[in-house]
Amino acid sequence: MPPADPPAYLDTALAAAVDAGGVLRRLWNKPRQVQAKGPRDIVTDADFVAQAAALGRVQSAYPQHAFLSEEGRHAIDLSGPTPTWIIDPLDGTTNYARRQPVFAVSVALAWDGAVQVGAIHDPLRRETFYAARGGGAWLQRGVTRPRALRVSGVPDLDSAVVGLDWAREPRLRAKSLAALNRLAPRCRTVRATGSAALGLAYVGAGLTDGYFHHMLQPWDLAAAVLLIAEAGGAVTTPSGSAWRLGLSQIAVSNGRIHAEFVAALRG
Ligand code: IPD
Ligand code: CA
Ligand code: CA
C-alpha cells in the first residue's frame, strides 16, 4: 500500500496528538463530567473533545483513510491494506478524572497489520515520543531539538524496572497478579503509570526496561509498539510468542532481559 509521503503521515500524527493534548491541557483545571462506559471503565467530556480535535486533524488531511478511535467506531480490520488511523484521544482517563497528572494521547497509522508512524504525546510535560517505520524513535521535549531514543542497556531482570497496568476484566487482572507475584521478587522494582501508552513508551525511551499488560486495545499500544521496535526493543506476547496488531496481551522489553522476563511472566 501507499507510502506516498511517509514524512507527511508522521507530521499529521504529531499534529493530531498535539492538538488533542492541547484540549486536555485546556480542560485539565475545569470541572469534569464523568460517565460510566462499562465495568471499571469511564469516559469524560474531555475524551470526546480531544477525540474531535485529533480526528479533525487526520480526517481533513486524509479523508480517504479509515479511522479507529476509542470513543468512535470499532469494527475495523487492521490486517487489511486500507490505511487506518488508530487513536486514543485520552489514555489514562481514570488518572485524568482523578487529577493524577499522568495521561497521554496516542495516534498511529497502520496498514497491512503494520504500524507505519506513531506519536504519544504527554500534554502536561509537553513531551512527544514518536517513531516512523525505519526512521528511528524520537523524543521531542517542548521546542528543543528531538533526541533519538534507544532502549536501556540493563542486562538482567535482577536490575530491571518493570511496568504494568491493570486489565479491567477480573480474570485477566488475576492473571497479571499471578505474573507479578513471580516477577516482583526477581526485578529491581515495579511501576504502574495508569496510562498504558506512556508505560509502553517509557520502555522505548529507556526509562524502564520491561512492561506487560493482559488486556489492551489497538489504540492503547499501536504507536508504542512501533516506538519500542524502532528503539531496539523486543515485542512479544507475555508467553514469548510473536505479537501482531490485534492481540491484546503484550510483553515488551529492552531485548536483553526478554527471555528472563517472559519466563517469569509465563510461570
Ligand atoms: C486504559 C489505560 C490503563 C490500562 C487500561 C486502558 P484508557 O486506557 O491505558 O493504564 O490499564 O487497560 O484501557 O481507558 O484510560 O484510555
Ligand atoms: Ca487507552
Ligand atoms: Ca482512552
XYZ file of all heavy atoms in Angstrom, residues 9-10 17 27 30 43 59 75 78 85 113 115 172 179 214 237:
126
model
N 2.753 11.717 6.801
C 1.979 10.908 7.762
C 2.456 11.190 9.188
O 1.656 11.348 10.107
C 2.141 9.408 7.486
C 1.589 8.932 6.161
C 2.240 7.923 5.451
C 0.422 9.465 5.628
C 1.738 7.471 4.239
C -0.078 9.017 4.408
C 0.589 8.025 3.720
O 0.096 7.575 2.528
N 3.765 11.221 9.357
C 4.297 11.476 10.703
C 3.914 12.880 11.172
O 3.479 13.054 12.321
C 5.820 11.287 10.723
C 6.472 11.525 12.084
C 5.897 10.601 13.167
C 7.988 11.342 11.994
N -1.830 14.498 17.678
C -1.573 14.209 19.100
C -1.405 15.513 19.882
O -1.928 15.651 21.003
C -0.327 13.334 19.231
N -8.604 21.719 29.405
C -9.718 21.271 30.256
C -9.242 20.735 31.612
O -10.073 20.384 32.454
C -10.530 20.191 29.527
C -11.212 20.661 28.223
C -11.952 19.503 27.567
C -12.171 21.813 28.500
N -10.640 22.377 34.627
C -12.091 22.610 34.575
C -12.813 21.452 35.279
O -12.247 20.370 35.430
C -12.564 22.675 33.118
C -11.893 23.747 32.281
C -12.722 25.016 32.307
C -12.366 26.028 31.241
N -11.001 26.455 31.152
N -15.536 7.373 30.996
C -15.149 8.316 29.946
C -15.523 9.714 30.448
O -16.484 9.864 31.200
C -15.843 7.949 28.600
C -17.361 8.076 28.673
C -15.288 8.765 27.448
N -8.639 13.501 9.615
C -9.673 13.355 8.572
C -9.554 14.463 7.523
O -9.811 14.227 6.347
C -11.071 13.364 9.190
C -11.416 12.000 9.770
C -12.735 11.968 10.526
O -13.156 12.972 11.082
N -13.371 10.814 10.553
N -15.426 -1.411 14.498
C -15.397 -2.591 13.627
C -14.516 -2.322 12.413
O -14.999 -2.015 11.325
C -16.822 -2.947 13.202
N -7.677 -4.354 10.942
C -6.357 -3.715 10.888
C -5.353 -4.516 10.067
O -4.236 -4.059 9.843
C -5.817 -3.513 12.308
C -6.586 -2.480 13.125
C -6.124 -2.484 14.571
C -6.432 -1.094 12.526
N -6.023 5.115 10.722
C -5.522 5.893 11.858
C -6.104 5.312 13.133
O -7.319 5.107 13.233
C -5.901 7.362 11.695
C -5.168 7.995 10.556
C -5.552 8.008 9.237
C -3.907 8.653 10.618
N -4.592 8.635 8.477
C -3.578 9.052 9.298
C -3.015 8.951 11.649
C -2.395 9.729 8.999
C -1.850 9.632 11.356
C -1.543 10.015 10.039
N -1.551 -4.581 8.685
C -1.197 -5.075 10.023
C 0.095 -4.513 10.569
O 0.580 -4.969 11.611
N 2.259 -1.069 11.812
C 2.191 0.347 12.175
C 3.290 1.083 11.411
O 4.443 0.648 11.387
C 2.365 0.537 13.698
C 2.238 2.012 14.063
C 1.330 -0.288 14.470
N -8.458 -11.536 34.017
C -7.165 -11.107 33.465
C -6.364 -10.324 34.499
O -5.137 -10.359 34.508
C -7.389 -10.295 32.186
C -7.993 -11.134 31.058
C -8.365 -10.256 29.870
C -7.016 -12.231 30.617
N 1.331 -13.228 37.545
C 2.613 -12.950 36.877
C 3.469 -12.031 37.748
O 4.674 -12.235 37.906
C 2.360 -12.307 35.512
N -2.283 -7.543 30.072
C -3.056 -8.689 29.573
C -4.354 -8.292 28.868
O -5.139 -9.157 28.498
C -3.355 -9.665 30.729
C -2.146 -10.446 31.143
N -1.507 -10.268 32.350
C -1.426 -11.383 30.472
C -0.470 -11.083 32.423
N -0.395 -11.769 31.305
N 4.133 -11.603 22.864
C 3.055 -11.836 23.831
C 3.716 -12.143 25.183
O 4.926 -12.449 25.237
C 2.181 -13.034 23.421
O 2.990 -14.210 23.573
C 1.687 -12.909 21.984
